[in-house]
Amino acid sequence: MIKTRFTEMFGIKHPIVQGGMQWVGRAELVAAVAEAGGLGFITALTQPSPEHLTREIARCRERTDRPFGVNLTFLPSISPPPYAEYRQAIIESGVPVVETAGANPAEHVAEFRDRGVKVIHKATSVRHARKAELLGVDAVSIDGFECAGHPGEDDVAGLVLIPAAAEQLRIPVIASGGIADARGPVAALALGAEAVNMGTRFLCTVESPIHDAIKHRIVANGECDTELIFRTFGNTARVARNAISRRVIEIERAGGTFADVRDLVSGQRGRRVYENGDGDIGIWTAGQVQGLIRDVPTVAELIERIVREAVALVGERLTSIAGNGAP
Ligand SMILES: Cc1cc2nc3c(=O)[nH]c(=O)nc-3n(C[C@H](O)[C@H](O)[C@H](O)COP(=O)(O)O)c2cc1C
């Protein structure tokens, strides 16, 4: 058992979070994480409307009576989704916690908290994490530069970012990015975090609702098989390296604009990757941690293994290195 302020605050058994994942954070995966004692998040914007989100939450409740939450990601968009309506659907569904990400969540935090929904904000810098703390969020998830998805523009890896954040915040910090096995949580706890968040590792589990060919591609991939797209647009995304990501980078290097890559990077192409298993048809998200992923376990096997090995790592390896405590 690893107990932290985070496990106490959210009423979960293990300090392990499955963060929001577009097209992937659905009831089956989230319920499996909850049943295994972690905290999973349904991804709101994977659902085409707030009504669909309400139904997805109900589907998850049919599978577990343990706590789970909803991720609400604020993306730069010409025609933004109806965020206030998604927020309302989340509040009315009675889920105990929301994970906000992307832009500043200021507009939403007070209402969530007033209505009894705890807020975890995902940030990629200490200054944004501090702002979120001032807004009154309950915990902050910090994504280091190695993470899948949007690492921000500061390029600070977790080994520095996590302790820097833990030093400056009073609320619990969740270490995110680059974690796949027991070594991650043990290191994260040593760095001052009180939980870990994983994306790519959960993408590669039996319950993850994506094509097996993509799971096997993640297992085959190494730590160098990611690419940073959208750097030139100031909205960097770390994605799996493939034919499309290479093409996007070429266009960016040649001075192209978003309009020049819009079709290549469309969400619908990305969705087809997961549905059809063709990893070169669109952009799909994965982190450097692919280099540490070697199998496709069930969520229960994964979480049980991480906790068991973390306890052993502290009790055996670290204890023997530290000797009897004598200098
Ligand atoms: C397939 C995929 C989709 C993701 N989509 C989202 C998203 O919609 N919103 C969000 O806040 N984070 C998203 N993320 C980021 C994860 O929640 C998490 O922060 C990140 O994966 C941590 O890095 P790791 O993959 O190294 O564990 C996504 C990650 C993956 C792998």
Side-chain angles (χ1 to χ4, degrees):
M1 278 282 275
I2 304 171
K3 248 197 201 173
T4 66
R5 273 195 301 169
F6 187 83
T7 56
E8 301 288 296
M9 187 180 264
F10 292 96
I12 52 166
K13 199 166 165 201
H14 306 302
I16 297 177
V17 178
Q18 167 256 307
M21 285 189 275
Q22 182 65 339
W23 308 129
V24 182
R26 299 174 191 267
E28 289 77 7
L29 177 62
V30 174
V33 173
E35 283 294 291
L39 184 60
F41 286 89
I42 290 178
T43 311
L45 299 186
T46 294
Q47 301 301 321
S49 71
E51 295 72 36
H52 285 85
L53 174 61
T54 302
R55 270 179 254 150
E56 192 67 6
I57 294 170
R59 275 201 333 113
C60 197
R61 282 233 172 81
E62 284 163 15
R63 290 166 170 75
T64 185
D65 53 13
R66 298 202 176 170
F68 64 88
V70 175
N71 165 286
L72 189 56
T73 302
F74 309 113
L75 299 163
S77 168
I78 299 161
S79 51
Y83 284 117
E85 290 170 33
Y86 277 100
R87 183 182 69 218
Q88 211 49 33
I90 293 168
I91 290 169
E92 281 165 16
S93 74
V95 294
V97 51
V98 67
E99 178 192 61
T100 55
N104 186 327
E107 204 184 316
H108 307 275
V109 170
E111 184 153 359
F112 277 130
R113 297 210 68 223
D114 288 351
R115 303 285 300 274
V117 182
K118 290 196 170 69
V119 180
I120 299 175
H121 184 62
K122 196 150 62 175
T124 57
S125 70
V126 177
R127 64 186 186 286
H128 290 153
R130 288 186 63 188
K131 256 191 219 158
E133 182 176 61
L134 290 174
L135 287 174
V137 306
D138 298 275
V140 178
S141 203
I142 309 271
D143 259 323
F145 186 50
E146 57 275 72
C147 74
H150 291 277
E153 309 304 319
D154 292 346
D155 303 1
V156 182
L159 204 54
V160 170
L161 197 54
I162 304 305
E167 249 173 43
Q168 295 192 42
L169 297 172
R170 282 206 293 265
I171 52 177
V173 167
I174 305 156
S176 179
I179 294 167
D181 56 47
R183 294 167 293 186
V186 171
L189 291 171
L191 295 174
E194 306 204 35
V196 295
N197 178 46
M198 304 190 294
T200 308
R201 178 64 273 199
F202 280 118
L203 186 61
C204 200
T205 56
V206 170
E207 291 89 343
S208 157
I210 65 167
H211 199 285
D212 277 349
I214 301 301
K215 298 180 191 177
H216 293 129
R217 187 149 165 172
I218 293 172
V219 170
N221 275 350
E223 63 275 17
C224 296
D225 291 319
T226 71
E227 205 119 55
L228 295 167
I229 61 168
F230 301 165
R231 285 242 96 164
T232 56
F233 312 141
N235 184 29
T236 300
R238 187 181 294 284
V239 300
R241 171 172 287 148
N242 67 6
I244 303 285
S245 71
R246 280 193 285 265
R247 182 81 196 104
V248 170
I249 301 248
E250 272 167 26
I251 294 172
E252 284 193 62
R253 285 195 183 132
T257 65
F258 185 73
D260 299 318
V261 300
R262 191 192 307 267
D263 170 55
L264 289 171
V265 304
S266 81
Q268 289 317 314
R269 273 177 180 260
R271 187 178 184 164
R272 287 206 327 257
V273 168
Y274 296 133
E275 285 175 1
N276 304 344
D278 179 351
D280 285 295
I281 214 173
I283 291 292
W284 54 284
T285 306
Q288 293 181 331
V289 76
Q290 288 178 115
L292 300 178
I293 294 175
R294 322 233 186 275
D295 61 359
V296 186
T298 65
V299 166
E301 280 163 2
L302 175 67
I303 292 186
E304 185 277 324
R305 186 205 297 168
I306 289 178
V307 174
R308 178 172 35 82
E309 291 183 357
V311 171
L313 197 49
V314 174
E316 292 161 21
R317 183 172 148 74
L318 296 188
T319 306
S320 84
I321 290 172
N324 62 6

